[in-house]
Amino acid sequence: NYGAGLTLDNSISNIVNATIFNNTGLHGGGIFIYVSKYNIINGVVSNNTATHTFGGGIALRGGSDYNTINATVTANKSV
C-alpha cells in the first residue's frame, strides 16, 4: 500500500493539528503524495516506515510539493 497513514492524489490540502505515527507502507510509510500540494500545520509525522526504499515519513511523486509550518517530521525510515 502507498501512504499507510494518509494518501493524497491530485489534491490541494491542509493537514492541521494531526499526528501521523507508527505506520508502515510500500512508499510513504506516513504520507504518500501524488500530483498534489499540501501543508502540514502544527502536526507531527513520526516513526513511520516505507518498505520499498523511499519515503519513510513522506513520499512525493508526480511533481508534488509540501510545506511544513510549525510541524515536526522525525524518526521515519525507509528499508
Side-chain angles (χ1 to χ4, degrees):
N1 62 8
Y2 294 85
L6 176 67
T7 298
L8 299 172
D9 186 353
N10 198 28
S11 65
I12 298 172
S13 302
N14 288 318
I15 302 166
V16 182
N17 298 325
T19 299
I20 310 293
F21 177 78
N22 204 27
N23 298 286
T24 300
L26 296 177
H27 307 293
I31 303 171
F32 182 80
I33 304 151
Y34 182 74
V35 191
S36 298
K37 297 184 184 296
Y38 83 102
N39 299 305
I40 300 176
I41 303 166
N42 301 324
V44 176
V45 179
S46 180
N47 201 42
N48 299 289
T49 303
T51 58
H52 280 113
T53 70
F54 72 89
I58 301 169
L60 303 171
R61 303 292 288 192
S64 295
D65 189 24
Y66 81 100
N67 294 300
T68 57
I69 302 164
N70 197 32
T72 302
V73 180
T74 188
N76 300 288
K77 64 183 176 180
S78 296
V79 294

